C-alpha cells in the first residue's frame, strides 16, 4: 500500500480513471502543462495527452458549461475550479443546467460531470480563497455533494464520483491537502504519512457516495462533521475526555440519514460542526434531520459549532475558524444538559 | 477518407529550457500608426485595433502623430512614479519571502500601463483596477505606509484585517476596492460611467483587466453595456502574455488581437505598446477626451509582459523560459522612459541613481513606520471582535450574539495570543 497525501490521492484517482476509461477528460485553469496550482493534476497531461487533460481559458462558467456539453456528448469530464471561491460565475450552469438536465428532459439527456474544487480556510487566503460554499449546492436538487476528510476517502470518493452517472460537486478541504490538520495552527504540521488514512492503494477502488462513516465510536454524544472539522473534532474530543462518537458525513447530498441518526439515537446527544457560516448553513439540515428522526431519544438541545456569519477575515482566521475550544465548549454544554 | 474534426490546443512558442520566441507579437514601427480625430466613428478607427500605437522609437526618441508632447517635468514625474512602484513591489516581495506578510503580487514590467494611463486622467475620474495596478495608487499620491499597513493587516489597515494583501481601496482617491474575483470590476466601471452620464457629470471611469480574465463573461457584459449606452469609460485590457501558467493563446489571442474585440461590439479598439509611457499616455488621453465629449467607450489593449511571477504563490520557471523577460521585444517601460529623458538632455544616469537611492530610502522609512503599527507576528494587533462590523450597516442580532460568544471565549482563553502566518496559496483571484 502506498503512502499518499490528499493531493497525491486525488491525482492518483484521476490518473487511474484516465487510464481505465477513454471517456474521462480533465479540464480547468492551469491543470494541464503546469499541473494545477495545488499540483492535483501534476504529470497527468504529460502521461495522458493534451486532448485528455486540458488547460482552459479563465472562465468558470465556460469550464462548467463546456463540461456539460462534453458530458452530453458521451465524455466524463472532471472539471477543476481553482478555488471554490471562484465557482460563482459557473453557478447558473450548475443550478439551472447541470442539476436539472436529467429531470427537464425526462432522462433523455444528462451530463455526468464531476466538479472538483478546493475549499475551506486556514491558509491566510482571506475571503476570496477560504470559503466553504457547500450549502448553496446541497440546496440544489439534482447534484451530489461530497467532501472527503482524508486521502483514502478522497481517492475512493473521487473515483465513485467520476464513475457515477450523476453530476457531483466534489469539495476538497485544502487545509487537509498535506496533513490531518487538527485546528491548532501553532503546532507543527503533521503529514499524512503518519496517519492510517494516508495509506492509499495505487490502483482502482471506490468509496461509495451517500455513505457516512463512524470514525470514532463512542457512547456519550454524537459529533457530525465533515472535511477538516473531522480532525478538529477528534482533537477536541481527546482534550475533553468525553466519549464522543464522531461521524464523518463524507457525502452531504444524498445524506446517509441511517448512519447519522443511528448514532444520535444511541448517544442521545448531538453536536454538529462545520467551517462554513452558520445561518442557513448545512448544519441546519443536519439538525433538522436529527430532530425529525431522534427527537424522543435526545437528552439535550443539539448544538452547532460553525464559522461566524461574516466573510472569512484574513487577519483573524483563527478567531473565525471553529476550533477545538469552541467544539469542546459545545460538547461540555450538551453533556451538562439534564 | 472522411474529414474529421480535431481539437486545437494552443501551445506557447517556448517552454522552460527553450529559446524565448516572441515572433508572434506583431509590432508596428514607432510613429507609423495614424491618429484619428477623437470624433471619428468606430468604423473609421478599426485599423487601430490591428496595428500598434508606438511613440518611442529604437533610440527612444518621441516620433509621430501620437506624441503627446509632454513637458520634461511631467515625464520626470512619470518616471518617478514608475520607479517608486517598482521599488515598492521589490520590497514587498522580499518582505513576503521573510514571512512577514502572507502574499504579494508584483507589477514589474507593467508600470506604464497604470502610471501613464492614470496620469492622462483627471484626479476626479474613477478607477476600477485589477490587482496589478498599484501604480495608480502611487501616482495619485497614496502614502505607501497605507498600502504596507493593508498588506500587514495591522492596526492601520484600511481593510481592518479582512482582506488579503494588495486588495486596496481608496474612496477619497477615487480608486475602487480591488476584488479577488476576476474581471468583476470591468462591467462595474461601465455602470459607474453610466451613472456619471445620467447625472451629467464631467467625470469618466477607467478599468483594467488582464487578457486572461477577458475570458470571463464579465468582459462581455462590460462591452455590451458600454456600447449600448455609449458610456464614458475607458476599458483597459492588459495583455501581459501570461495568466499564471497559461499564455495569451488560451484567452483567444492566437486568432485576433484583443483590441479587435472592440469593433465587434461597435467600440473603438486601440492596440498600444504598453511599455511605451508616451504611447499609453497619448492613447488614454485620446480615449478620455472622446468619452468626455459623449463619444462613448474605448477598448485599449496594452501589449506588455508580466516580468514577475503571477504572485508569491507561483513559480513561472515551471512553465516558461527564464530568459523571456530579457527577450521581450518591447523592453522595459522604466528603462525606455529614462533613456528618452536622457536623449532629451533632461536626465542622466547619475540623476537616475540618485533618485533610486532617494526612493529606496523612502520605501525603507515607510516600512519602518508601517511596522510600528503592528505585524502579523508582533506589535499592536487589531481587535478580532471588529470582524463582525460592516457585514451590514447595523449589526443584526445573530452577529451581536456571535460577537458576545467570541468575546467570552477569548476572555476564557486569556485572549490575544498572536496568530502566526502560514503560507498562502492564491490563484487567479
Amino acid at each position: 500500500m502506498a503512502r499518499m497525501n490528499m493531493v497525491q490521492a486525488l491525482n492518483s484517482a484521476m490518473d487511474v480513471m484516465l487510464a481505465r476509461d477513454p471517456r474521462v477528460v480533465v479540464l480547468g485553469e492551469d491543470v494541464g502543462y503546469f499541473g494545477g496550482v495545488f499540483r492535483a493534476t501534476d504529470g497527468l497531461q504529460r502521461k495522458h495527452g493534451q486532448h485528455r487533460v486540458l488547460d482552459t481559458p479563465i472562465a468558470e462558467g465556460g469550464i462548467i458549461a463546456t463540461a456539460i456539453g462534453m458530458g452530453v456528448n458521451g465524455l466524463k469530464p472532471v472539471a477543476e475550479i481553482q478555488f471554490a471561491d471562484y465557482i460563482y460565475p459557473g453557478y447558473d450552469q450548475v443550478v439551472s443546467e447541470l442539476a436539472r438536465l436529467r429531470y427537464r428532459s425526462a432522462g433523455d439527456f444528462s451530463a455526468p460531470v464531476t466538479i472538483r474544487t478546493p475549499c475551506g480556510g486556514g491558509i491566510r487566503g482571506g475571503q476570496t480563497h477560504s470559503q466553504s460554499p457547500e450549502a448553496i449546492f446541497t440546496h440544489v436538487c439534482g447534484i451530489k455533494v461530497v467532501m472527503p476528510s482524508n486521502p483514502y476517502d478522497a481517492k475512493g470518493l473521487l473515483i465513485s464520483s467520476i464513475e457515477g452517472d450523476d453530476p457531483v460537486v466534489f469539495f476538497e478541504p485544502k487545509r487537509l491537502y498535506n496533513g490531518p490538520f487538527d485546528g491548532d495552527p501553532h503546532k507543527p504540521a503533521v503529514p499524512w504519512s503518519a496517519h492510517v488514512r494516508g495509506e492509499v492503494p495505487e490502483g482502482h477502488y471506490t468509496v461509495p457516495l451517500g455513505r457516512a462513516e463512524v470514525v470514532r465510536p463512542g457512547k456519550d454524544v454524537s459529533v457530525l462533521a465533515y472535511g477538516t472539522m473531522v480532525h478538529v473534532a477528534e482533537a477536541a474530543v481527546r482534550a475533553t475526555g468525553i466519549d464522543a462518537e464522531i461521524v464523518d458525513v463524507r457525502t452531504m447530498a444524498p445524506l446517509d440519514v441511517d448512519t447519522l441518526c443511528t448514532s444520535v439515537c444511541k448517544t442521545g446527544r448531538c453536536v454538529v460542526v462545520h467551517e462554513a457560516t452558520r445561518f442557513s448553513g448545512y448544519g441546519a439540515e443536519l439538525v433538522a434531520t436529527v430532530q425529525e428522526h431522534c427527537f424522543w431519544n435526545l437528552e439535550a438541545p443539539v448544538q452547532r459549532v460553525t464559522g461566524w456569519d461574516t466573510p472569512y477575515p484574513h487577519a483573524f482566521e483563527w478567531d473565525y475558524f471553529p476550533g477545538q475550544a469552541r467544539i469542546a465548549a459545545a460538547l461540555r454544554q450538551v453533556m451538562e444538559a439534564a | 477518407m472522411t474529414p474529421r474534426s480535431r481539437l486545437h490546443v494552443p501551445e506557447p512558442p517556448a517552454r522552460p529550457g527553450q529559446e524565448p520566441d516572441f515572433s508572434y507579437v506583431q509590432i508596428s514601427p514607432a510613429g507609423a500608426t495614424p491618429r484619428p480625430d477623437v470624433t471619428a466613428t468606430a468604423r473609421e478607427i478599426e485599423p487601430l485595433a490591428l496595428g500598434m500605437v508606438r511613440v518611442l522609437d529604437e533610440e527612444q526618441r518621441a516620433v509621430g502623430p501620437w506624441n503627446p508632447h509632454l513637458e520634461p517635468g511631467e515625464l520626470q514625474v512619470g518616471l518617478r512614479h514608475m520607479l517608486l512602484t517598482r521599488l515598492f513591489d521589490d520590497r514587498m516581495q522580499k518582505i513576503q519571502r521573510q514571512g512577514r506578510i502572507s502574499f504579494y503580487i508584483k507589477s514589474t514590467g507593467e508600470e506604464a500601463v497604470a502610471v501613464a494611463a492614470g496620469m492622462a486622467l483627471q484626479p476626479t475620474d474613477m478607477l476600477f483596477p485589477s490587482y496589478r495596478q498599484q501604480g495608480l495608487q502611487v501616482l495619485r499620491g497614496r502614502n505607501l505606509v497605507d498600502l504596507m499597513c493593508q498588506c500587514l493587516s495591522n492596526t492601520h489597515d484600511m481593510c481592518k484585517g479582512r482582506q488579503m494583501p494588495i486588495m486596496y481601496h481608496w474612496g477619497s482617491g477615487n480608486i475602487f476596492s480591488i476584488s479577488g474575483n476576476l474581471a468583476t470590476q470591468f462591467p462595474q466601471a461601465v455602470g459607474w460611467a453610466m451613472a456619471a452620464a445620467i447625472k451629467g457629470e464631467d467625470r469618466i471611469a477607467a478599468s483594467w483587466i488582464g487578457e486572461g480574465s477577458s475570458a470571463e463573461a464579465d468582459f462581455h457584459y462590460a462591452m455590451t453595456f458600454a456600447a449600448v449606452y455609449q458610456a464614458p469609460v475607458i476599458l483597459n485590457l492588459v495583455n501581459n502574455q501570461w495568466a499564471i501558467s497559461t499564455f495569451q493563446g488560451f484567452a483567444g489571442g492566437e486568432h485576433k488581437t484583443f483590441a479587435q474585440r472592440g469593433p465587434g461590439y461597435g467600440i473603438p479598439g486601440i492596440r498600444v505598446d504598453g511599455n511605451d509611457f508616451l504611447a499609453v499616455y497619448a492613447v488614454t488621453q485620446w480615449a478620455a477626451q472622446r468619452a468626455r465629449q459623449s463619444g462613448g467607450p474605448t477598448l485599449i489593449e496594452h501589449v506588455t509582459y508580466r516580468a514577475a511571477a503571477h504572485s508569491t504563490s507561483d513559480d513561472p520557471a515551471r512553465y516558461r523560459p527564464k530568459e523571456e523577460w530579457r527577450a521581450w521585444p518591447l523592453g522595459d517601460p522604466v528603462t525606455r522612459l529614462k533613456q528618452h529623458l536622457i536623449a532629451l538632455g533632461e536626465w542622466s544616469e547619475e540623476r537616475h541613481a540618485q533618485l533610486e537611492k532617494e526612493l529606496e530610502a523612502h520605501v525603507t522609512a515607510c516600512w519602518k513606520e508601517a511596522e510600528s503599527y503592528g505585524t502579523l507576528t508582533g506589535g499592536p494587533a487589531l481587535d478580532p471582535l471588529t470582524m463582525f462590523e460592516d457585514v451590514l450597516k447595523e449589526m443584526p442580532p445573530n452577529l451581536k450574539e456571535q460577537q458576545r460568544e467570541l468575546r467570552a471565549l477569548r476572555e476564557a482563553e486569556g485572549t490575544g495570543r498572536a496568530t502566526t502566518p502560514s503560507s498562502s496559496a492564491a490563484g487567479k483571484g
Side-chain angles (χ1 to χ4, degrees):
Chain A
M1 190 98 75
R3 296 264 171 194
M4 296 187 197
N5 64 29
M6 194 184 280
V7 173
Q8 292 162 332
L10 293 162
N11 184 292
S12 174
M14 286 181 274
D15 188 24
V16 165
M17 290 311 296
L18 283 160
R20 272 173 77 95
D21 186 343
R23 297 172 300 168
V24 173
V25 291
V26 170
L27 71 161
E29 295 160 14
D30 300 290
V31 305
Y33 184 88
F34 187 48
V37 299
F38 288 105
R39 321 302 313 150
T41 55
D42 193 17
L44 296 181
Q45 187 184 70
R46 210 160 44 246
K47 186 167 172 187
H48 299 282
Q50 283 191 325
H51 288 188
R52 306 286 309 282
V53 183
L54 293 161
D55 280 315
T56 65
I58 303 173
E60 295 74 17
I63 292 168
I64 294 171
T66 52
I68 294 170
M70 291 177 190
V72 167
N73 198 5
L75 297 185
K76 302 208 101 180
V78 184
E80 175 179 303
I81 300 298
Q82 197 166 74
F83 285 81
D85 315 68
Y86 303 169
I87 206 164
Y88 309 115
Y91 195 56
D92 186 43
Q93 286 289 341
V94 174
V95 176
S96 311
E97 306 298 321
L98 183 60
R100 299 189 193 153
L101 192 51
R102 182 187 301 283
Y103 191 79
R104 81 183 189 206
S105 67
D108 199 13
F109 286 99
S110 61
V113 175
T114 301
I115 300 171
R116 294 178 40 243
T117 190
C119 69
I123 64 154
R124 283 266 179 215
Q127 61 188 2
T128 51
H129 302 85
S130 306
Q131 294 164 51
S132 296
E134 65 271 13
I136 61 174
F137 291 93
T138 57
H139 193 60
V140 177
C141 32
I143 45 175
K144 297 182 177 180
V145 181
V146 175
M147 194 189 297
S149 71
N150 60 70
Y152 180 88
D153 283 357
K155 179 173 174 180
L157 288 167
L158 184 55
I159 290 177
S160 289
S161 301
I162 297 169
E163 288 184 337
D165 294 321
D166 287 309
V168 177
V169 180
F170 192 94
F171 288 102
E172 302 168 3
K174 55 185 166 301
R175 184 68 209 214
L176 295 185
Y177 273 159
N178 294 313
F181 176 65
D182 74 358
D184 184 349
H186 305 283
K187 275 199 338 211
V190 179
W192 278 114
S193 56
H195 193 280
V196 61
R197 286 303 178 89
E199 286 185 10
V200 180
E202 292 191 31
H204 176 274
Y205 69 93
T206 58
V207 172
L209 303 189
R211 298 291 261 303
E213 188 189 28
V214 175
V215 292
R216 184 198 188 279
K219 59 177 174 37
D220 291 342
V221 50
S222 299
V223 180
L224 311 184
Y226 49 89
T228 307
M229 303 319 295
V230 171
H231 304 278
V232 183
E234 281 177 339
V237 165
R238 274 196 302 276
T240 56
I242 294 167
D243 187 18
E245 179 151 296
I246 300 172
V247 185
D248 182 352
V249 177
R250 300 200 295 194
T251 301
M252 279 92 83
L255 181 62
D256 180 0
V257 176
D258 276 359
T259 300
L260 269 56
C261 292
T262 301
S263 173
V264 178
C265 285
K266 180 181 81 175
T267 61
R269 296 168 207 269
C270 181
V271 174
V272 169
V273 187
H274 61 62
E275 189 179 342
T277 48
R278 179 185 189 89
F279 196 88
S280 289
Y282 185 68
E285 180 61 37
L286 291 177
V287 174
T289 302
V290 165
Q291 187 279 137
E292 283 163 9
H293 293 265
C294 314
F295 182 80
W296 302 109
N297 296 75
L298 286 174
E299 306 283 344
V302 181
Q303 294 287 319
R304 274 186 292 172
V305 184
T306 68
W308 308 117
D309 289 327
T310 74
Y312 219 117
H314 175 255
F316 314 123
E317 59 182 353
W318 302 119
D319 291 291
Y320 177 92
F321 187 88
Q324 292 178 31
R326 288 179 57 206
I327 299 173
L331 287 170
R332 290 193 193 97
Q333 199 173 336
V334 293
M335 292 311 297
E336 281 161 14
Chain B
M1 197 172 146
T2 327
R4 279 197 292 182
S5 62
R6 181 165 173 80
L7 191 70
H8 170 69
V9 180
E11 274 285 351
R15 286 297 193 186
Q18 296 176 323
E19 280 294 308
D21 177 5
F22 287 115
S23 55
Y24 71 86
V25 183
Q26 298 297 310
I27 300 171
S28 309
T33 309
R35 184 183 187 279
D37 192 83
V38 295
T39 58
T41 64
R43 191 178 287 277
E44 287 165 339
I45 299 161
E46 274 190 34
L48 290 181
L50 204 54
M52 183 186 278
V53 175
R54 304 182 73 212
V55 173
L56 292 172
D57 68 10
E58 299 311 308
E59 276 79 49
Q60 310 307 334
R61 290 171 311 205
V63 296
W66 285 95
N67 182 358
H69 299 289
L70 294 173
E71 294 296 322
E74 289 175 283
L75 295 175
Q76 287 164 357
V77 168
L79 182 66
R80 185 189 177 92
H81 289 327
M82 290 203 292
L83 194 55
L84 181 56
T85 303
R86 180 166 297 184
L87 296 173
F88 169 67
D89 276 349
D90 288 346
R91 184 67 57 93
M92 297 311 283
Q93 163 126 330
K94 275 187 205 141
I95 284 165
Q96 193 279 338
R97 292 293 183 233
Q98 294 163 357
R100 294 150 90 186
I101 61 173
S102 62
F103 176 79
Y104 195 70
I105 285 182
K106 292 174 83 177
S107 62
T108 310
E110 301 176 38
E111 291 89 350
V113 167
V115 172
M119 280 178 70
L121 298 168
Q122 295 299 315
T124 47
D125 293 336
M126 187 71 184
L127 312 181
F128 290 78
S130 82
Y131 45 60
R132 216 183 294 279
Q133 284 81 42
Q134 41 270 52
L136 295 172
Q137 300 273 350
V138 171
L139 85 92
R140 287 208 166 168
R142 193 81 190 261
N143 187 343
L144 292 189
V145 176
D146 293 346
L147 304 184
M148 289 167 168
C149 288
Q150 193 281 329
C151 292
L152 280 161
S153 286
N154 68 14
T155 54
H156 281 220
D157 171 10
M158 65 183 87
C159 300
K160 297 188 179 176
R162 294 168 190 162
Q163 285 265 56
M164 282 176 76
I166 62 99
M167 305 292 179
Y168 314 120
H169 60 88
W170 194 18
S172 60
N174 293 315
I175 304 183
F176 191 59
S177 163
I178 293 168
S179 175
N181 294 70
L182 290 180
T184 52
Q185 73 276 10
F186 226 46
Q188 293 164 356
V190 174
W192 192 98
M194 287 165 61
I198 289 166
K199 294 194 286 181
E201 290 175 350
D202 180 33
R203 298 170 74 191
I204 66 171
S207 187
W208 286 255
I209 58 166
E211 92 286 353
S213 60
S214 74
E216 294 281 8
D218 302 69
F219 175 82
H220 175 69
Y221 306 150
M223 297 297 283
T224 304
F225 278 70
V228 166
Y229 297 104
Q230 290 293 290
V233 64
I234 301 175
L235 297 166
N236 295 290
L237 188 154
V238 183
N239 178 3
N240 69 6
Q241 314 305 315
W242 287 97
I244 305 191
S245 75
T246 46
F247 83 116
Q248 52 93 34
F250 275 99
E254 284 187 316
H255 315 293
K256 285 225 169 188
T257 72
F258 291 95
Q260 281 178 287
R261 295 183 185 181
Y265 289 92
I267 294 175
I270 304 182
R271 186 163 172 267
V272 63
D273 176 348
N275 289 10
D276 179 337
F277 182 92
L278 295 174
V280 172
Y281 186 99
V283 164
T284 307
Q285 193 180 42
W286 183 95
Q289 201 187 340
R290 183 177 173 88
R292 283 186 221 287
Q293 296 175 6
S294 294
T298 303
L299 175 70
I300 301 174
E301 175 189 354
H302 301 262
V303 182
T304 182
Y305 183 80
R306 196 195 78 206
H310 161 71
S311 75
T312 50
S313 302
D314 177 36
D315 176 13
R318 282 177 178 273
Y319 52 78
R320 68 181 189 186
K322 278 198 177 108
E323 307 75 26
E324 264 198 359
W325 169 225
R326 275 197 294 279
W328 175 242
L330 299 176
D332 175 340
V334 176
T335 308
R336 286 174 70 190
L337 185 57
K338 178 183 92 172
Q339 285 169 352
H340 174 60
L341 274 162
I342 290 173
L344 288 176
E346 298 288 347
W347 200 242
S348 66
E349 291 291 352
E350 295 71 37
R351 286 177 75 182
H352 194 81
Q354 180 57 37
L355 176 65
E356 199 164 334
K357 222 169 113 181
E358 180 199 320
L359 295 177
E360 282 273 16
H362 175 60
V363 172
T364 302
C366 289
W367 175 249
K368 279 193 179 140
E369 183 183 343
E371 269 194 317
S372 73
Y373 302 129
T375 67
L376 280 173
T377 48
L382 279 169
D383 182 357
L385 295 174
T386 60
M387 82 164 89
F388 299 98
E389 297 166 5
D390 303 320
V391 176
L392 296 173
K393 192 170 177 189
E394 284 183 34
M395 202 183 290
N398 61 322
L399 282 180
K400 284 183 183 163
E401 176 55 36
Q402 291 174 18
Q403 191 184 40
R404 269 196 297 276
E405 201 179 325
L406 180 60
R407 184 183 289 119
L409 190 73
R410 288 174 60 81
E411 280 165 6
E413 281 185 340
T415 75
R417 75 177 170 179
T419 51
T420 51
S422 59
S423 67
S424 168
K428 287 166 171 160

